[in-house]
């Protein structure tokens, strides 16, 4: 699975421009899905299984959402000396930018600089620029509106994996693996590789409307509380995939949480409960669709979220796959 | 006839935090069952009570939303038997120190929110208001027992008891928005013996304090012709600016502004006039901060109205309401509903409305 | 059917724009513009209705069945004020409706209520101020609308007030300019009226004159749900910050510039435009020889924010006429930019084919 993860995190796909990631995902799942289509916002929707009324326990229509987009930047101006001004796509922290590198969709790479600053000072994005090695707009490979993702190489530490865009390519990887590993399911599963999550859950909003599921499960990263003087949060790397109880935008349906915990216990998988005080996921968008959907979220604990060096625990990832396979291979009554 | 004060006290003694409304939904169901034709629940746990109208099918319907969820806290960590908490809904942490609470663990456990002394607080918060993240809940139990009974994700509700303040005032937590549930119940009472053509959906919505999600999804599902949110608004009292607050006992507050259809507002005003009931006007420039905000844009849009009960000290454990306002809102709703003619929607228009007071 | 590039802005169009700008239509109370729109569309639309949010929804059918269904939106509301309190003696407290900078309100004229009662927003005489007061910005709480003794029972809490009408034309020829309040988005409304009147036969045109855009895009969302189109083009008015930098440096944050044509959006705060539609508009402009500019990505938003997320998603793009000093008592637009916007969108509509959205979004 590490090769799959590396391929996914290396792809350039900021919000609104996920085509490279979508092509990769499609290639990975084509042989395993019953039906695939792409909707108006570029969401890749793969159906596996078909709920029948004849089965002993009536199958559910379950939407599983992992977002393909990553945070990035978009060019706003190329100045007369060829420096590129930009703004962020999604939650971009200035402190993670200076000295970093970006890769535009057209393949061109650049370095982020900032206007004169004191030794400890970081400017807001308006006072930064990207140096493409150009000298004027004419020899600059970038124009207004071009988008780029942050660039940092994938690093396999053994148990820990580090890369940019673990948020949420790790979720995409989990989704792909789960889809591949499920042999039989009583349910109609819709794996939605969604778009534009980082700018407001937009892909999940429209795909959930289209899919109209009975239950929704998002797969995304969550923060962790296990770094020096870090967030005060129970979640830690290596303690298992996290079952989300609440985050900044949504309260999981307690019955879905109970289902996930029961499945983890049945399959004897390490797991932990999660409360995240800031941030949210596609699950919120699914919950508020149409007449409402009971939702939960499988979270992969992640350090340094929205930096170019996001770190996850590989066992949390494989256990996450195992948990979802357990959940979706068996009937569910939410009660 | 429901004993409204007694019912209200029961409502504000029943737990039902946003996302976890099952206990309060059951309490309301017990009473609404006898006042409606059909009870059901939505995918997000809202309670739908249908009282059918007398008109010929297909009948238009009106949805009245009163959110049943309340604000509270949730356990995030346990350290040496002390609980760290986060909020559900919006809470000013300054009202918390010393407040009695109930921790809903494996059983209900009384506790108290406590403010650690300054030397046990981080240097950046060791004076002034202590942030929620630095407050603790103390159950008085030893750490081992706490670990058996309580875990991450358990809910914590306010533990203050209802108190009568003189003749007409009641104080307690969760009057936002159980007071409106009581008002809607009074309306359902009145409708038992009055004729109405339209179908009435009395909906106790979920998760208003977090996402307005119960109202959004119920409005989508039930697809009513009209939607009214009944909620609380700011009552005149110490500490609140006079120009943004309303008289306690001064009558129902009629909403006005972009989130309110002027034709529906006008019809409510006329209903109040028929009852010779004084009302107050709340002009809201953008959004109403109520379920009406999400209901107005459900599907292809729904004409909405906001009806409010003045309430002091909103989002504290000692909220105060005037009982007469609750009854008046209930009576006004019933009068409005019974006045709905078959051609109300045909005649309803954004334009040609006169002014408000 | 008029030749795509022959549709133009003439005296009649400017007159209509002037009457649209003179109307008072604050978010949530758009009735005056609604009436003007419905009068203008009489005889030109196959269906017209008003929905639960007050949107005017007009349909112009295609010449044949099963043609692409294209939604166009322009918002009828302007930013303004809600009368919040009566201080007696004709003086009223007010709340802002939509994004307003309090510093822009000082010393302006307004019209209040349906009778358009005249009022002014006054300010303390300089003689009575201290030096430190003069370095503190005005706040809405401290400002009042003064109607003299003209209110007379005609102004009540809950009424809306708008900047006073002040439409004039400046300059001539290529740089002819219109100065008025509410060009955001009466210019879009005027453009949309013209497009409905000249709708090409290859599409079903679904025109939404929307409400409450300025207070978080309310009308457009439900209009899009009702229409459920194949694609959408939103017509708005966007800031041009093309003024000189204080020390002569290059102005790198101009957003758009006057005189450079319609501004096509790639990304604003609410929407990442569908790349297929960005390409379609730029290619149409190049083919027709119409000047255009790309609006700088960044903040701001249009009705597209609500439209593109309706139902199962609607490919959308916004095109705006650049305007200086939006959300103040007087904005500026160039007639040439308006004309080029109208020509571009008209040509694009005439060129819409079912194959436009065949490829995946990006």
């Amino acid at each position: 699975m590490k090769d799959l993860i590396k391929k996914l995190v290396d792809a350039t796909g900021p919000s609104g421009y996920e085509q490279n990631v979508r092509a990769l995902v499609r290639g990975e799942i084509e042989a395993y899905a019953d039906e695939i289509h792409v909707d108006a916002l570029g969401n890749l929707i793969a159906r596996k299984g078909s709920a029948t009324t004849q089965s002993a326990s009536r199958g559910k229509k379950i939407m599983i959402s992992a977002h393909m987009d990553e945070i990035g930047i978009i060019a706003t101006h190329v100045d007369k000396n060829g420096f590129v001004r930009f703004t962020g796509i999604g939650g971009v922290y200035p402190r993670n930018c200076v000295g970093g590198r970006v890769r535009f969709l057209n393949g061109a790479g650049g370095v982020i600089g900032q206007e004169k600053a004191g030794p400890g000072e970081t400017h807001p994005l308006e006072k930064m620029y990207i140096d493409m090695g150009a000298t004027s707009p004419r020899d600059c490979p970038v124009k207004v509106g071009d988008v780029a993702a942050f660039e940092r190489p994938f690093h396999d530490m053994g148990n820990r994996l580090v890369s940019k865009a673990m948020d949420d390519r790790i979720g995409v990887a989990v989704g792909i693996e789960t889809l591949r590993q499920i042999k039989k399911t009583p349910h109609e599963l819709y794996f939605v590789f969604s778009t534009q999550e980082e700018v407001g859950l937009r892909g999940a909003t429209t795909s959930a409307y289209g899919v109209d599921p009975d239950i929704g499960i998002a797969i995304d990263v969550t923060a962790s509380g296990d770094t020096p003087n870090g967030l005060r949060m129970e979640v830690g790397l290596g303690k298992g995939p996290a079952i989300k109880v609440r985050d900044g935008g949504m309260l999981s349906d307690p019955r879905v949480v109970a289902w996930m915990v029961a499945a983890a216990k049945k399959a004897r998988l390490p797991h932990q409960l999660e409360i995240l005080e800031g941030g949210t996921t596609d699950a919120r968008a699914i919950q508020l669709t149409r007449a409402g959907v009971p939702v939960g979220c499988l979270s992969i604990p992640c350090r340094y979220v929205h930096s170019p060096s996001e770190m996850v625990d590989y066992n949390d990832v494989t256990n996450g796959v195992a948990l979802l396979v357990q959940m979706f291979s068996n009937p569910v009554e939410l009660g | 006839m429901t004993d409204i004060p007694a019912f209200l006290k029961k409502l504000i003694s029943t737990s039902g935090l946003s996302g976890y409304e099952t206990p309060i939904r059951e309490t309301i169901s017990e009473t609404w069952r006898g006042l409606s034709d059909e009870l059901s629940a939505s995918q997000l746990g809202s309670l739908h009570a249908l009282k059918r109208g007398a008109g010929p099918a297909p009948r238009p319907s009106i949805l009245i939303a009163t959110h049943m969820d309340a604000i509270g806290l949730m356990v995030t960590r346990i350290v040496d038997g002390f609980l760290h908490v986060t909020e559900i809904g919006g809470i000013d942490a300054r009202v918390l120190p010393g407040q009695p609470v109930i921790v809903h663990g494996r059983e209900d456990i009384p506790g108290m929110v406590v403010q650690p002394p300054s030397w046990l607080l981080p240097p950046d918060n060791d004076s002034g208001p202590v942030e929620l993240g630095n407050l603790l809940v103390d159950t008085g139990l030893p750490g081992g027992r706490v670990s058996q009974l309580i875990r991450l994700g358990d809910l914590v509700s306010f533990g203050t008891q209802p108190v009568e303040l003189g003749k007409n005032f009641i104080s307690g937590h969760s009057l936002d928005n159980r007071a409106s549930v009581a008002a809607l119940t009074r309306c359902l009472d009145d409708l038992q013996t009055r004729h109405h053509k339209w179908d009435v959906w009395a909906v106790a919505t979920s998760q208003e304090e977090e996402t307005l999600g119960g109202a959004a999804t119920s409005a989508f599902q039930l697809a009513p012709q009209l939607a009214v949110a009944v909620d609380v608004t700011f009552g005149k009292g110490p500490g609140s600016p006079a120009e943004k607050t309303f008289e306690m006992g001064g009558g129902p507050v009629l909403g006005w502004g972009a989130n309110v259809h002027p034709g529906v507002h006008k019809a409510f005003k006329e209903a109040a006039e028929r009852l010779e009931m004084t009302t107050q006007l709340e002009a809201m420039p953008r959004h109403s901060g109520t379920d009406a905000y999400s209901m107005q844009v459900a599907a292809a849009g729904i004409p909405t109205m906001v009806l409010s009960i003045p309430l002091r000290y909103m989002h504290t454990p000692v909220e105060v309401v005037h009982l007469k306002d609750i009854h008046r809102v209930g009576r006004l709703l019933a009068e409005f509903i019974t006045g709905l003619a078959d051609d109300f929607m045909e005649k309803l228009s954004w334009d040609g409305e006169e002014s408000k007071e | 059917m008029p030749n795509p590039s022959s549709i133009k802005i003439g005296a009649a169009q400017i007159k209509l724009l002037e009457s649209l700008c003179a109307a008072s239509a604050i978010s949530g109370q758009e009735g005056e513009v609604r009436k003007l729109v419905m009068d203008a569309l009489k005889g030109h639309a196959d269906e017209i209705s008003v929905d639960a949010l007050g949107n005017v929804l007009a349909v112009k059918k295609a010449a044949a069945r099963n043609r692409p269904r294209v939604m166009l939106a322009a918002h009828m509301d302007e930013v303004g004020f809600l009368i919040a309190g009566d201080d007696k003696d004709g003086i009223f407290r007010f709340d802002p409706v939509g994004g307003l900078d309090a510093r822009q309100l000082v010393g302006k004229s307004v019209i209040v209520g349906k009778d358009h009662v005249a009022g002014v927003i006054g300010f303390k005489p300089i003689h009575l101020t201290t030096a430190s007061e003069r370095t503190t910005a005005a706040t809405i709480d401290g400002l009042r609308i003064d109607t003299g003794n003209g209110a007379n029972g005609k102004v009540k809490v809950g009424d809306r007030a708008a900047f006073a009408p002040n439409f004039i034309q400046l300059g001539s020829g290529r740089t002819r300019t219109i100065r008025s309040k509410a060009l955001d988005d009466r210019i879009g409304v005027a453009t949309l009226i013209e497009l409905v009147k000249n709708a090409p036969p290859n599409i079903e045109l679904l025109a939404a004159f929307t409400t409450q855009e300025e207070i978080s895009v309310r009308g457009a969302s439900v209009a899009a749900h009702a229409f459920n189109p194949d694609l959408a083009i939103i017509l708005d008015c966007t800031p041009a910050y093309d003024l000189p930098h204080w020390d002569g440096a290059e102005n790198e944050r101009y957003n758009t510039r006057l005189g450079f044509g319609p501004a096509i959006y790639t990304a604003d705060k609410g929407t990442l435009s569908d790349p297929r539609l960005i390409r379609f508009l730029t290619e149409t402009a190049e083919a027709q020889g119409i000047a255009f500019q790309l609006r700088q990505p960044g903040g701001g938003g249009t009705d597209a924010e609500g439209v593109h997320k309706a139902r199962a998603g609607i490919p959308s793009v916004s095109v705006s006429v650049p305007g200086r000093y939006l959300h103040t008592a007087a904005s500026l637009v160039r007639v040439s930019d308006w004309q080029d916007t109208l020509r571009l969108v008209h040509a694009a509509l005439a060129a819409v084919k079912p194959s436009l959205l065949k490829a995946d979004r990006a």
Side-chain angles (χ1 to χ4, degrees):
Chain A
M1 197 178 165
K2 286 185 181 179
D3 285 341
L4 172 64
I5 296 169
K6 179 177 187 331
K7 250 197 289 196
L8 288 167
V9 296
D10 279 350
T12 303
S15 308
Y17 294 84
E18 302 88 351
Q19 58 267 38
N20 293 340
V21 186
R22 188 171 52 239
L24 270 175
V25 175
R26 188 191 274 270
E28 297 291 334
I29 62 169
E30 232 151 16
Y32 300 87
D34 294 333
E35 201 190 321
I36 298 182
H37 79 276
V38 177
D39 76 3
L41 256 62
N43 295 299
L44 181 70
I45 301 169
R47 177 176 62 77
K48 181 151 189 171
S50 181
T52 62
T53 43
Q54 290 115 331
S55 62
S57 166
R58 200 182 174 300
K60 303 273 189 249
K61 198 198 278 193
I62 306 180
M63 171 168 162
I64 303 114
S65 185
H67 68 90
M68 296 188 288
D69 60 309
E70 60 190 293
I71 56 170
I73 60 103
I74 183 166
T76 59
H77 181 68
V78 182
D79 79 10
K80 54 188 198 283
N81 296 313
F83 292 100
V84 178
R85 296 288 182 171
F86 65 94
T87 189
I89 297 178
V92 174
Y93 305 137
R95 64 168 185 259
N96 290 330
C97 289
V98 183
R101 301 186 193 179
V102 295
R103 178 73 52 189
F104 283 87
L105 264 188
N106 64 10
V111 173
I112 303 175
Q114 66 171 351
E115 297 176 15
K116 188 168 67 157
E121 201 185 351
T122 302
H123 283 315
L125 298 184
E126 295 78 46
K127 287 186 178 299
M128 294 187 187
Y129 52 84
I130 299 169
D131 190 338
M132 300 298 299
T135 57
S136 79
R138 273 163 304 286
D139 68 357
C140 182
V142 168
K143 56 186 195 307
V144 172
D146 283 354
V147 302
F150 296 98
E151 178 158 86
R152 207 61 72 96
F154 174 83
H155 180 35
D156 179 354
M157 292 175 163
N159 272 343
R160 304 278 152 97
L161 308 175
V162 180
S163 176
K164 60 95 173 166
M166 281 297 177
D167 177 8
D168 183 33
R169 304 287 161 74
I170 199 72
V172 170
V174 169
I176 290 171
E177 264 307 293
T178 303
L179 196 165
R180 294 209 280 223
Q181 284 188 25
I182 291 178
K183 299 285 173 277
K184 268 189 72 162
T185 175
H187 306 295
E188 194 167 89
L189 301 172
Y190 286 85
F191 287 85
V192 177
F193 298 93
S194 64
T195 59
Q196 301 189 38
E197 186 275 349
E198 296 287 3
V199 290
L201 321 176
R202 296 176 191 167
T205 300
T206 56
S207 56
Y209 189 97
V211 169
D212 191 11
D214 300 318
I215 301 175
I217 303 283
I219 315 170
D220 211 325
V221 301
T222 189
S224 72
D226 57 357
T227 54
N229 265 330
L231 281 180
R232 283 188 291 174
M233 175 181 184
E234 284 300 301
V235 171
L237 265 59
K239 289 160 63 176
I243 296 169
K244 190 190 289 278
V245 171
R246 176 209 195 354
D247 66 23
M250 144 292 213
L251 293 143
S252 297
D253 190 309
R255 300 167 300 173
V256 174
V257 174
W259 169 40
M260 295 176 77
V261 170
K265 288 182 171 157
K266 185 103 193 284
R268 299 173 175 306
L269 296 166
H271 60 284
Q272 48 188 323
L273 292 177
E274 169 216 341
I275 294 174
L276 178 69
E277 283 182 275
T280 192
T281 72
D282 280 347
R284 175 198 158 96
I286 304 171
Q287 185 182 59
L288 300 177
T289 300
R290 291 181 184 252
V293 180
V295 299
C297 179
L298 179 83
S299 300
I300 306 297
C302 182
R303 293 176 186 165
Y304 325 122
V305 176
H306 283 203
S307 81
S309 301
E310 297 175 329
M311 177 189 287
V312 299
D313 182 283
Y314 185 58
N315 297 307
D316 291 343
V317 175
T318 54
N319 285 322
V321 173
L323 174 52
L324 291 181
V325 171
Q326 171 71 20
M327 283 163 59
F328 301 142
S329 302
N330 295 293
V332 52
E333 274 319 319
L334 289 185
Chain B
M1 279 293 279
T2 313
D3 178 347
I4 295 290
F7 183 53
L8 179 59
K9 285 187 196 156
K10 186 145 188 245
L11 290 174
I12 62 177
S13 307
T14 308
S15 137
L17 304 195
S18 308
Y20 296 83
E21 297 91 351
T22 301
I24 187 68
R25 186 174 59 248
E26 285 171 357
T27 299
I28 299 172
S29 296
E30 278 164 25
T31 296
W32 283 12
R33 183 164 287 118
L35 300 175
S36 62
D37 297 315
E38 250 177 63
L39 276 187
S40 57
S42 80
Q43 289 296 317
L44 295 194
S46 297
L47 178 64
H48 295 170
L50 170 63
K51 186 171 189 304
R52 290 199 191 86
R59 281 178 299 277
S61 68
I62 176 171
L63 190 167
I64 321 251
T66 58
H67 76 84
M68 59 177 166
D69 59 309
I71 60 174
L73 305 165
M74 176 184 267
V75 177
T76 56
R77 299 163 68 218
I78 304 177
V79 180
D80 296 339
F82 291 88
L83 313 177
H84 279 276
V85 290
T86 188
E87 64 184 8
I88 292 188
I91 301 188
D92 182 341
R94 296 174 301 166
V95 320
L96 291 176
Q99 292 295 349
V101 295
I102 301 171
V103 183
H104 303 282
R106 316 283 68 71
E107 59 194 54
D108 282 355
I109 300 152
M112 193 161 82
V113 182
V114 299
Q115 177 177 278
S118 62
W119 56 92
L120 296 179
L121 288 168
D124 66 359
N125 193 214
D126 62 5
S127 63
V130 179
E131 289 162 12
L132 182 58
N134 293 322
L135 293 172
L136 299 169
V137 173
D138 190 345
T139 58
L141 299 174
R145 190 83 185 106
V146 169
S147 304
Q148 291 173 333
L149 292 174
I150 302 174
R151 61 172 182 240
L152 182 155
D154 284 347
L155 303 167
V156 181
S157 19
F158 288 118
T160 32
Q161 298 296 316
V163 171
E164 284 175 24
L165 301 176
K167 190 161 179 294
N168 278 311
F169 290 92
I170 285 194
S171 170
H173 67 82
S174 308
L175 282 166
D176 173 4
N177 191 32
R178 310 282 166 78
S180 301
V181 175
L184 180 49
T185 307
R186 168 66 206 258
C187 167
L188 289 173
D189 274 346
D190 283 10
L191 291 181
Q192 300 305 303
T193 52
R194 295 183 69 177
H195 178 272
H196 58 94
K197 293 184 154 193
W198 284 43
D199 280 349
V200 177
W201 287 102
V203 177
T205 58
S206 62
Q207 301 192 34
E208 186 275 347
E209 297 286 6
E210 282 275 319
T211 61
L212 308 180
T217 53
S218 290
F220 187 98
Q221 181 185 342
L222 302 177
Q225 276 55 52
L226 297 175
V228 180
V230 184
D231 210 315
V232 296
T233 187
F234 308 109
K236 270 195 170 46
S240 297
E243 65 269 13
K244 293 197 190 326
T245 58
F246 300 90
E247 292 293 334
M248 305 291 291
V253 180
L254 304 188
W256 174 262
N259 198 187
V260 172
H261 192 296
V264 183
H265 174 101
K266 181 167 174 222
F268 263 92
K269 192 88 185 87
E270 287 165 356
E273 277 156 14
R274 291 197 294 275
L275 292 175
E276 295 182 355
M277 184 186 286
T278 44
T279 57
Q280 312 182 62
L281 174 73
E282 183 169 16
M284 300 169 283
R286 305 159 72 116
H287 52 74
S288 61
T290 71
D291 279 339
Y293 194 64
S294 64
M295 295 195 293
Q296 187 182 36
V297 293
I302 304 174
T304 43
M305 174 60 181
V306 178
L307 202 55
S308 301
I309 297 168
L311 176 146
R312 285 184 186 148
Y313 321 127
M314 200 180 292
H315 282 208
T316 72
V318 291
E319 294 175 330
V320 177
V321 290
H322 192 297
L323 279 171
K324 286 214 166 98
D325 290 331
I326 293 177
H327 282 286
R328 285 181 188 126
V329 166
R331 288 170 47 216
L332 178 56
L333 281 169
E335 177 64 29
F336 177 82
I337 289 167
T338 55
L340 283 170
D342 293 327
D343 61 354
F344 182 83
M345 292 308 294
E346 267 172 59
K347 294 184 168 159
L348 185 65
S349 143
W350 270 86
D351 304 316
E353 75 282 3
E354 286 312 305
S355 82
K356 298 64 34 206
E357 311 204 84
Chain C
M1 202 265 289
N3 181 320
S5 63
S6 76
I7 190 171
K8 71 193 300 293
I9 302 298
Q13 286 73 21
I14 294 186
K15 188 147 185 285
L16 176 60
L17 179 62
E18 183 169 3
S19 55
L20 286 167
C21 288
S24 170
I26 307 303
S27 311
Q29 193 173 65
E30 297 87 352
E32 288 183 24
V33 174
R34 194 162 29 242
K35 180 172 194 314
L36 286 168
V37 168
M38 296 190 62
D39 286 345
L41 292 181
K42 260 201 197 74
H44 292 281
D46 297 314
E47 287 165 30
I48 305 187
S49 61
V50 177
D51 74 4
L53 272 275
N55 296 310
V56 176
L57 305 177
V59 179
K60 192 78 185 286
K61 295 202 187 304
R65 303 183 60 193
N66 297 322
R67 290 289 178 263
R69 302 174 69 248
V70 180
M71 172 176 173
L72 295 182
H75 69 88
M76 299 189 288
D77 58 312
E78 65 194 280
V79 298
F81 319 98
L82 174 79
I83 301 298
D86 186 343
D87 283 359
K88 305 287 176 260
D89 298 326
I91 311 281
F92 296 92
R93 234 183 342 103
F94 60 91
D95 284 331
V97 180
L100 284 166
D101 180 344
R103 298 170 300 175
Q104 294 276 9
L105 306 183
V106 172
K108 302 302 189 297
S109 292
V110 298
I111 51 174
V112 191
K114 69 174 175 42
D115 292 318
H116 289 200
V117 172
V120 296
I121 300 177
F123 206 47
K124 197 172 188 183
I126 183 173
H127 323 63
L128 303 179
T129 59
T130 63
S132 90
E133 267 182 286
R134 290 196 293 276
T135 58
T136 310
T139 61
I140 303 256
D141 283 344
L143 298 174
R144 297 290 184 272
I145 290 175
D146 184 343
T147 60
N149 61 9
N152 228 346
K154 288 187 277 189
V155 174
K156 294 192 165 64
V157 170
D159 282 348
R160 295 348 191 262
F163 289 116
N166 55 2
F167 187 102
I168 66 172
Q169 296 188 61
L170 305 165
S172 62
R174 186 80 195 141
T175 57
R176 192 149 57 100
T177 298
I178 291 171
R179 191 179 82 191
S180 171
K181 64 100 168 167
L183 287 168
D184 174 12
D185 182 30
R186 303 295 154 75
I187 203 155
V189 170
T191 306
L192 184 50
I193 288 171
E194 210 51 38
L195 289 167
V196 173
K197 289 178 172 176
N198 292 283
N202 55 305
I203 58 164
E204 182 172 67
L205 182 62
L206 307 163
F209 296 85
T210 64
T211 59
Q212 303 190 29
E213 187 275 346
E214 298 287 6
I215 50 172
S216 309
V217 181
R218 305 279 290 166
S221 306
V222 309
H225 183 96
F227 275 150
N228 196 17
D230 297 320
L231 65 110
I233 300 176
I234 281 73
L235 305 169
D236 212 322
C237 190
T238 192
Y241 296 126
D242 55 342
L243 277 64
H245 192 279
W246 63 275
D247 73 352
E250 192 181 347
N251 177 356
E252 297 177 334
R253 292 169 60 189
Y254 48 88
N255 195 48
T256 62
R257 297 177 174 119
L258 292 194
F260 282 72
I264 301 171
Y265 289 51
T266 51
D268 62 25
K269 190 138 190 289
T271 312
L272 292 158
S273 301
D274 191 305
R276 298 168 291 189
L277 296 180
I278 300 173
R279 244 187 334 267
F280 174 59
L281 286 178
T282 56
E283 285 169 2
T284 302
E286 277 153 9
Q288 296 283 326
I290 302 172
F292 72 92
Q293 53 187 313
L294 289 179
R295 178 190 184 274
Q296 287 190 298
T302 69
D303 274 342
E305 178 172 349
V307 171
H308 84 289
K309 290 184 290 189
R311 290 191 185 251
I314 295 164
S316 306
V317 68
S318 302
V319 185
S320 286
V321 178
R324 286 183 192 156
Y325 323 125
L326 303 184
H327 290 205
T328 72
S331 313
L332 292 184
V333 299
R334 292 255 195 269
V335 176
S336 65
D337 289 334
W338 180 18
Q339 171 126 300
D340 286 342
T341 303
L342 176 61
R343 287 173 58 217
L344 170 57
V345 179
H346 188 252
L349 293 178
V352 168
K353 294 187 189 48
S355 58
L356 175 57
L357 298 175
K358 202 140 180 271
D360 286 344
R361 181 196 144 97

